[in-house]
Amino acid sequence: METVLEMQNVCKTFYGDGVEIHANDNVNFSLKHGEIHALLGENGAGKSTLVNNLFRKPDSGTILLRGKEVELSNPIAALRHGLAIARQDLSKSLIERHTVAENILSISEGFFLSLSRIEREITSALNKYELGDIDPKTKIWKLSGGEKQRVEILKALITDPEIIILDEPTSMLTPPEIVNLFSLLNSLRSQGKSIIIITHHLEEAINYCDRITVMRHGEVVATLETEKEKNAWVSEEEGIRRLATLMVGKEVLYELARKKMEPGKLTAEIQGLFTTNDMGDTVVNGVSLQLKENQILGIAGISGNGQQELVEAMLHWRKVDSGKVLIHGKKIDGVSIVQDITGKSIREIRDLGIAYIPEDRRKALILDLSIRENLILNSYRKSGGLFIDQKSIVNVTEELISIFKIKTPSALSSVRSLSGGNRQKVVVARETTLAPPEGRKLILIAENPTFGLDVGTTQFVREELLRLREEGAAIMLISSDLTEVLALSDRIAVMYKGKIMGILNSQEATREKVGLMMGGSTLQEVIE
Amino acid sequence: MVELLNPILWHSIVAAATFFVLPTLGEIYAERSGILNLGIEGMVIAGAAGSYAIAYQTQDILLGVLFGMFIGGLLATIHAILTITFNRNQVVSGIGLTILGTGLSGLLGDAVVGKALKGIDSTPIPILKDIPTIGEVFFDQNIFVYLSFILAPILWFILYKTRIGILIRSVGENPSASMNQGVNVRLIRYLCVIFGGMMAGLGGAYLSLGWLNFWTDGMTQGRGWIVIALVVVALWNPLGAFIGSYLFGMFDVLQFSFQHEAIPFIFPTGIPPSVLKMMPPVSTILFLAIWGIILSQQKVKSIVGAPTALAKPFED
Ligand SMILES: Nc1ncnc2c1ncn2[C@@H]1O[C@H](COP(=O)(O)OP(=O)(O)OP(=O)(O)O)[C@@H](O)[C@H]1O
Ligand SMILES: [Mg+2]
């Protein structure tokens, strides 16, 4: 097969605090005509940097398109040469306050703006590519993560490019949406398009991609032909293990040891909670849940069924229409103290030892502050007095950076300079180490905590959650990743259209049952 | 009691408001593209001096007006180079521009201070001017005033209904996203900032040639700064530019009419001029405070409010 795109000896260096980061160090990469090519690597390996080089010149190196050297110094040039990209960082790619149609500028032409024509084109393209129902008149900020991701993919495809680059397009999609996406990519491939896809879901690479390139520390370590490798692997699991080993450079453990534990005492309770979304529709319909110490309560559900709003209402990010959120304190004179935290300020809530890993990282990070400052956002007030105790902060943050393997030259680099996955590590590191007040155990609310993390780190974060559980934490794990929920949770509540369809314990919860309930079946229907 | 229904009073309010409308429209475009230009005061005053001087020398009003716009555009270009090409701080550059413009106005206007020049006559619009009261107030004005009536809806249309309009708004909301789609962010910002400067220069020309008909140092009396606030009041919408501008036009005129009004107990002998002079700035602050409270609501913020990328440095 003919090679359509070739990158030769590409280098890209970033400078942060006097330290050079060789994000791409003499990288060679080739894309063949009509192939789906997976690009794998740990967080910070340089995957996004590599593909971004096609839209802004790399520091050095050559880019060949169909054998001819080209200079792609800006997105316009790339667009003209038939390249399109769906980016990883949607905040730099979609305009929140504009509608879907207003975001897709590349198909507008002439002086007057005919939004209705663009809207029609978008709707027909959505149908053609089977990217689901999205109203082109909706403002981006009203869309769920998965919907935004589909808009971003559409934005790339609608220019009818020859070379399609997708940077972690599946991180927020549901399993059926992922299957749909790959069947779409398949049909695009048969039309002769060439596709690069970056992903942390290794099974996607094995099952759908023709070739796999693995990056580590800014360099390409291997390019594999999937078919050939598959013959050598006894199972998909072995393939995943092999790829993970290539990415990390050493064996990655894949077993999660969830010790059997008796549920501890009731620590938090949601009673009949109702709340609305930004558009004013009631999306949480009388949810009641209990969190117990030493337990992980999984909330399964296709994203957009009210999980996000439920959490936001619990934590005062959103107004509670009715219902209560109660925190059970320790027993004094045999009577347990119950605190109603509904409508309390975020600080009061957090001071009770409630940690939160939000799905949207922008809610948890201040991008322009340093990693160190972001790591102490929860705890700086504890140092007391007017000044911040620099020495202890330095020690604490250095420790977190090394435990969580946050890939950065210095604790003083801004969070903005981190790769997507490493930003997530900062949030997880800070929230899982939040110290609850005397006599209380941590309550952790985690929304898709492993979102955008590479395999090794995903494993690490999951182990962290289990460790916290053993230490007595009550964890509420909201995840659209069913595997994650099943592997970690002691009890699984399935949410559908703002209601809890039922709660299963870990013995009775199977992929099938939970899957059915995610689609709207009740517990009774599933058990029968 | 002041005759509040007096058409002559309203005629002068329209004249005063027009001065605010023109630069506000320009600044709305600059800010919509993401560039804050605090140099309005400087561009207006240099435009006022430059246009008066040229008009006086050549006895050609039109040439004067064009020169005023040129001066405004030229000053704005400096701001554009510093903030767009070199990514310098927009606030610092804008304030520097005001100082530069004020200095320049002294130089340009030096020879014509206090010299009389016949300004622009009013051109009554046939038929419309005969509408009772309204005709007298709105349609017996000079060409600048009519221009403001026409420009606001045209600029609104461009911003919301044309391709260039959506590009401008996109660039001001999220320059990275726009650039990723092949939009030339810098070019659009340059055009908007320079257009903003030309409109400020036009406002200056109106001040000296169309409204007050003289030139003297510092004659803007800080009105350029009010424009910055008016953009916020207008919610960055060209049609909204009218609302704030007419309100402030009212304050501008009424402060003279109220000078001899007595308010029982507080000012029994009449409101002192110093208090009246405080009206425009105090009301500006009040307005901004109220607006600020309304706009800070999360829900409102995702619909209206300052362009998201306003005054943020952009490095690709
Ligand atoms: N603008 C920047 N300034 C400084 N450093 C940067 C910048 N962009 C990327 N880097 C650094 O370059 C390295 C590679 O980043 P890149 O975003 O390519 O990683 P990635 O492989 O896409 O990771 P992820 O899976 O987390 O998205 C990281 O160490 C990152 O911190
Ligand atoms: Mg990346």
Side-chain angles (χ1 to χ4, degrees), chain A residues 54-55 74-75 136 153 155 230 238 242 281 290 296 306 509:
Chain A
L54 299 168
F55 299 83
N74 54 45
I153 295 168
K155 207 164 72 153
K230 266 188 178 164
E238 191 198 340
R242 284 282 161 82
D281 312 322
Q290 295 189 327
I296 298 183

Side-chain angles (χ1 to χ4, degrees), chain A residues 56 117 248 255 293 315 346 408 493 526:
Chain A
R56 60 145 146 70
R117 181 185 63 83
V248 183
E255 293 308 307
E293 288 177 0
L315 298 173
I346 293 180
T408 176
V526 172

Side-chain angles (χ1 to χ4, degrees), chain A residues 134-381:
Chain A
I134 298 170
D135 181 4
K137 286 195 178 71
T138 327
K139 297 262 194 314
I140 297 291
W141 61 269
K142 291 185 180 174
L143 299 180
S144 72
E147 287 170 323
K148 283 185 199 173
Q149 212 154 35
R150 283 183 278 143
V151 171
E152 179 69 11
I153 295 168
L154 179 76
K155 207 164 72 153
L157 295 181
I158 210 162
T159 60
D160 197 24
E162 286 305 306
I163 296 170
I164 301 158
I165 299 156
L166 305 169
D167 193 348
E168 298 194 25
T170 58
S171 57
M172 283 182 284
L173 298 186
T174 59
E177 285 169 346
I178 293 177
V179 172
N180 272 350
L181 176 67
F182 279 101
S183 74
L184 165 63
L185 295 185
N186 251 329
S187 76
L188 288 170
R189 168 174 59 187
S190 53
Q191 292 163 30
K193 314 277 185 196
S194 319
I195 298 156
I196 302 175
I197 179 165
I198 298 176
T199 177
H200 288 298
H201 302 151
L202 306 185
E203 70 283 356
E204 292 171 5
I206 294 175
N207 292 331
Y208 303 109
C209 301
D210 303 303
R211 288 199 298 161
I212 300 171
T213 289
V214 180
M215 287 186 79
R216 191 197 311 154
H217 303 314
E219 293 171 35
V220 168
V221 288
T223 297
L224 314 170
E225 307 256 347
T226 319
E227 272 317 307
K228 260 195 226 148
E229 302 296 325
K230 266 188 178 164
N231 295 333
W233 298 333
V234 284
S235 64
E236 189 182 306
E237 282 69 43
E238 191 198 340
I240 291 181
R241 260 202 313 281
R242 284 282 161 82
L243 289 175
T245 309
L246 270 178
M247 284 165 57
V248 183
K250 58 174 195 277
E251 225 27 85
V252 188
L253 270 180
Y254 254 99
E255 293 308 307
L256 275 177
R258 196 161 60 90
K259 284 210 196 98
K260 215 177 142 40
M261 290 204 91
E262 282 307 308
K265 61 175 197 283
L266 183 65
T267 167
E269 204 175 351
I270 305 167
Q271 291 182 343
L273 197 85
F274 284 83
T275 189
T276 53
N277 65 5
D278 291 337
M279 277 93 82
D281 312 322
T282 300
V283 288
V284 175
N285 267 312
V287 167
S288 298
L289 289 169
Q290 295 189 327
L291 293 181
K292 291 184 177 147
E293 288 177 0
N294 298 92
Q295 260 210 350
I296 298 183
L297 169 67
I299 310 281
I302 296 167
S303 69
N305 275 285
Q307 301 98 314
Q308 176 120 36
E309 287 83 0
L310 170 66
V311 171
E312 288 176 347
M314 285 172 69
L315 298 173
H316 197 60
W317 282 83
R318 183 174 293 282
K319 210 174 136 274
V320 173
D321 291 337
S322 78
K324 272 187 202 147
V325 184
L326 303 175
I327 299 293
H328 293 260
K330 56 179 167 204
K331 286 200 166 81
I332 297 176
D333 299 334
V335 190
S336 81
I337 309 286
V338 179
Q339 253 178 299
D340 187 349
I341 59 162
T342 327
K344 287 270 163 57
S345 77
I346 293 180
R347 175 186 281 193
E348 281 172 281
I349 293 173
R350 314 256 314 171
D351 281 351
L352 284 166
I354 302 179
Y356 176 36
I357 301 173
E359 175 177 285
D360 186 350
R361 277 175 216 146
R362 281 176 297 169
K363 283 206 303 217
L365 293 169
I366 304 173
L367 291 183
D368 288 311
L369 287 187
S370 69
I371 295 165
R372 177 179 295 160
E373 285 158 332
N374 272 284
L375 281 172
I376 60 155
L377 279 180
N378 278 344
S379 50
Y380 70 96
R381 284 186 299 118

Side-chain angles (χ1 to χ4, degrees), chain A residues 68-82:
Chain A
K68 268 201 233 81
E69 189 173 338
V70 287
E71 208 169 281
L72 304 171
S73 44
N74 54 45
I76 308 171
L79 206 67
R80 283 205 194 107
H81 280 96

Side-chain angles (χ1 to χ4, degrees), chain B:
Chain B
M1 193 60 207
V2 183
E3 182 56 276
L4 272 183
L5 292 176
N6 186 348
I8 297 174
L9 182 73
W10 283 96
H11 186 269
S12 34
I13 288 175
V14 171
T18 300
F19 167 73
F20 290 116
V21 174
L22 297 170
T24 302
L25 287 174
E27 179 70 4
I28 285 175
Y29 263 60
E31 291 195 17
R32 275 291 187 166
S33 80
I35 303 289
L36 177 71
N37 189 348
L38 293 182
I40 299 282
E41 171 74 6
M43 299 187 296
V44 166
I45 201 163
S51 56
Y52 199 80
I54 293 291
Y56 186 83
Q57 242 99 62
T58 60
Q59 291 296 313
D60 184 342
I61 301 270
L62 181 66
L63 207 62
V65 173
L66 290 177
F67 186 71
M69 292 175 70
F70 170 74
I71 289 283
L74 191 70
L75 286 170
T77 309
I78 299 175
H79 185 65
I81 292 172
L82 285 174
T83 60
I84 303 170
T85 304
F86 294 107
N87 245 321
R88 295 295 99 194
N89 185 305
Q90 298 181 11
V91 172
V92 176
S93 166
I95 290 176
L97 203 64
T98 291
I99 298 170
L100 177 65
T102 310
L104 192 63
S105 75
L107 188 72
L108 289 170
D110 196 35
V112 289
V113 176
K115 298 250 170 77
L117 171 72
K118 196 177 164 320
I120 299 170
D121 282 329
S122 57
T123 341
I125 298 184
I127 305 172
L128 286 179
K129 76 163 198 301
D130 297 327
I131 307 171
T133 322
I134 305 240
E136 202 176 333
V137 172
F138 289 103
F139 300 112
D140 189 9
Q141 300 274 10
N142 65 35
I143 190 90
F144 283 99
V145 178
Y146 304 141
L147 195 63
S148 79
F149 294 165
I150 300 167
L151 268 180
I154 289 182
L155 290 175
W156 175 87
F157 184 85
I158 291 179
L159 201 54
Y160 288 98
K161 299 289 168 198
T162 66
R163 193 174 126 82
I164 177 80
I166 181 118
L167 295 187
I168 291 170
R169 286 186 290 133
S170 301
V171 161
E173 281 293 324
N174 192 334
S176 316
S178 315
M179 202 184 81
N180 288 344
Q181 283 211 69
V183 179
N184 191 336
V185 175
R186 296 224 155 90
L187 176 69
I188 288 185
R189 290 188 158 179
Y190 259 91
L191 293 177
C192 287
V193 171
I194 293 172
F195 172 72
M198 289 166 65
M199 290 297 285
L202 184 67
Y206 170 68
L207 182 71
S208 60
L209 290 172
W211 179 24
L212 302 179
N213 281 323
F214 67 93
W215 161 254
T216 179
D217 275 330
M219 75 180 290
T220 52
Q221 297 179 320
R223 286 189 184 96
W225 292 105
I226 304 257
V227 167
I228 314 276
L230 288 180
V231 174
V232 181
V233 173
L235 293 176
W236 293 268
N237 183 329
L239 293 180
F242 270 112
I243 303 170
S245 299
Y246 274 72
L247 220 66
F248 282 91
M250 237 150 79
F251 284 127
D252 225 17
V253 172
L254 290 180
Q255 58 174 320
F256 299 106
S257 320
F258 273 107
Q259 268 181 32
H260 305 291
E261 291 295 308
I263 298 178
F265 306 117
I266 311 174
F267 301 117
T269 56
I271 307 174
S274 55
V275 171
L276 287 166
K277 263 217 159 118
M278 262 163 47
M279 289 290 286
V282 167
S283 46
T284 312
I285 291 170
L286 260 169
F287 234 99
L288 289 184
I290 296 167
W291 236 230
I293 292 165
I294 299 173
L295 291 186
S296 65
Q297 305 275 293
Q298 192 58 43
K299 215 162 159 180
V300 180
K301 222 154 76 183
S302 22
I303 305 167
V304 286
T308 310
L310 180 61
K312 299 214 177 93
F314 170 62
E315 279 164 288
D316 31 278

